[in-house]
Amino acid sequence: MVVKPGIAVGAIGNIPELRAEVLAKYPQAKFHEILPVLSEDALIEFLQGCDSAVIGLEPLTERVMAACPGLTAIGKFGVGCDNVDFDALRKRNVRFGYQPGVNRLAVAELTIAFMLIALRWLSSRAYAMREGEGPKTRVGRQLTRRVVGLHGCGFIGKEVVRLLQPFDCEILVHDILDFPDFYRRYNVTPVDFDTLLERSEVLSLHIPRPPGNAFLYDAKTLARLRPDCVLINTCRGGIVDEVALADRLAGNENFAACVDAFLIEPPVDMRLLRMPNMFSTPHMGASSIEARLAMGRAAVRFLEEGTLVPEGFAP
C-alpha cells in the first residue's frame, strides 16, 4: 500500500524498482510490505495522516473508511476487488482505480503450466523421487490436441486461448458474454455449461465470484466431469467446494486438480493439499516480476486518475 503526505503504500513496498519510482514522485510516502496482509486495525493505524493509498488484499471496509476520513483516492494493486466495500467509497466520494487484466499474461502462463503438470503427472512423480522412490513412472497425456474447456473468456481466458494455439487443442468456452470475432479468429467453440462439463479433458476456470457463483462447482457438478478431467482454478477461492473436490480426487486417481486460489488463504485443508492427484500453489498467479511492476504502476497512476465509484459498480 502507498500513501502521500499522505500516501500509504503497502502492496508494493518490497519491490525495489516500484518503491524508488513512488519515492521519486511522493518523497513522503510510507510503505508496508506485501505480507502479512494488514488486519482492519493495523490498516487503520497505517492509513492515519494519509490522503491516498495503494492497497492490495487489505480489507477496505466501512469500518476502515470511517476511521480514515482524510482518504480521497485509492489505487488497487491487482485485479481482485473482493476486499473493497464500494458502498463505503461511494458514500465518502473517494476516487478509486484499478486496471482489469493487468496481470493476465502471468496468470495465463501459470494456467498452461498447470495443464502440462497435471496431464503428465509431473508433481506426483517429482514428490515421489524426492522421497527416494525408484524410477517408476506414470503414463500421462500430451496437451497437444486435447479438448480444453474454459469457463470464462475475459482477459485471462483470452490470453489462455492465445497461448494454446501451438498445441492444436479443441477449445470450448462457456461465458455469459459472446465474443464471436475472437472465437472465429482462434477457432474457439462456444458451448453451454452442460457441454463444457461433459466434454472437457482439461477444464480451466476464469470467472469472478459474485454471490451466485459461490460453490458453483459443488459435489454434483464435480461428479459430472470426465473421470480423467484436469480441473484448474486460478481465479477465486469459493467457486469450487474444496471438501467436495477432495472427495472427488480421493474417489478417482485419474482425476486431477490444480488450484492457485482457496476460500481460506493460506489453505488449511491438508487432506486436499496432500492428495497425490492435487497440485496447489499459494495464490501466485500474478507473482511474476513483470506482472507486479505492471500492477504497481497502474495502482500508483490511479491515485491521480481514479474516478468516483458509480452506482452499482461491481468489477
Side-chain angles (χ1 to χ4, degrees):
M1 183 176 44
V2 184
V3 189
K4 303 194 240 190
I7 282 193
V9 184
I12 64 177
N14 67 348
I15 306 174
E17 188 172 346
L18 285 174
R19 192 180 185 113
E21 291 176 12
V22 170
L23 287 173
K25 191 168 187 178
Y26 305 112
Q28 297 182 26
K30 61 179 179 178
F31 297 84
H32 172 69
E33 303 300 328
I34 292 178
L35 295 174
V37 175
L38 296 178
S39 64
E40 282 188 328
D41 289 339
L43 181 59
I44 289 169
E45 180 179 355
F46 183 64
L47 291 176
Q48 294 308 303
C50 299
D51 59 22
S52 304
V54 170
I55 62 118
L57 298 175
E58 292 82 14
L60 201 61
T61 62
E62 166 65 31
R63 178 169 173 260
V64 170
M65 296 305 300
C68 304
L71 279 178
T72 61
I74 304 276
K76 180 68 170 67
F77 178 79
V79 298
C81 295
D82 299 343
N83 59 314
V84 179
D85 184 335
F86 290 109
D87 288 336
L89 270 60
R90 188 182 302 110
K91 183 164 64 176
R92 294 170 176 82
N93 291 322
V94 175
R95 291 181 291 110
F96 178 83
Y98 84 114
Q99 184 173 328
V102 66
N103 62 357
R104 59 185 178 269
L105 183 56
V107 179
E109 286 189 358
L110 180 64
T111 301
I112 300 297
F114 276 170
M115 294 180 186
L116 296 167
I117 286 169
L119 286 167
R120 298 296 296 273
W121 301 108
L122 299 180
S123 61
S124 61
R125 290 299 84 210
Y127 296 151
M129 289 191 69
R130 186 181 62 187
E131 296 302 316
E133 289 190 16
K136 66 180 181 180
T137 188
R138 180 172 182 178
V139 177
R141 292 171 289 166
Q142 296 175 179
L143 176 56
T144 299
R145 289 186 288 279
R146 296 258 80 80
V147 178
V148 176
L150 302 180
H151 191 169
C153 197
F155 290 105
I156 295 171
K158 288 184 176 66
E159 204 66 45
V160 173
V161 169
R162 294 186 186 101
L163 294 179
L164 280 172
Q165 294 306 295
F167 294 96
D168 193 26
C169 294
E170 180 181 355
I171 303 176
L172 312 178
V173 163
H174 176 68
D175 199 303
I176 60 174
L177 302 177
D178 191 23
F179 307 100
D181 294 339
F182 180 85
Y183 294 160
R184 280 192 296 270
R185 180 178 179 184
Y186 290 100
N187 196 27
V188 172
T189 303
V191 296
D192 59 28
F193 189 50
D194 291 338
T195 302
L196 184 79
L197 297 178
E198 293 162 6
R199 292 206 55 219
S200 297
E201 295 176 272
V202 177
L203 175 55
S204 188
L205 311 184
H206 302 285
I207 55 178
R209 194 192 71 190
N213 277 350
F215 299 126
L216 174 62
Y217 283 79
D218 57 11
K220 290 179 62 175
T221 303
L222 292 173
R224 297 173 61 191
L225 298 175
R226 292 170 52 112
D228 60 353
C229 182
V230 172
L231 178 66
I232 296 173
N233 181 15
T234 57
C235 49
R236 285 288 175 269
I239 294 173
V240 178
D241 183 329
E242 293 168 16
V243 174
L245 178 60
D247 291 340
R248 185 74 166 92
L249 291 166
N252 189 339
E253 65 175 8
N254 293 318
F255 186 90
C258 297
V259 180
D260 185 51
F262 295 84
L263 180 61
I264 298 173
E265 294 181 340
V268 296
D269 185 352
M270 297 310 298
R271 174 176 176 250
L272 174 62
L273 297 180
R274 289 175 176 152
M275 289 286 175
N277 41 354
M278 166 76 172
F279 184 76
S280 58
T281 48
H283 209 148
M284 56 178 287
S287 293
S288 72
I289 293 173
E290 295 85 353
R292 289 198 172 277
L293 286 172
M295 290 189 297
R297 286 167 178 155
V300 173
R301 185 176 73 250
F302 284 122
L303 297 180
E304 297 178 359
E305 297 180 9
T307 59
L308 297 178
V309 179
E311 193 70 37
F313 179 72

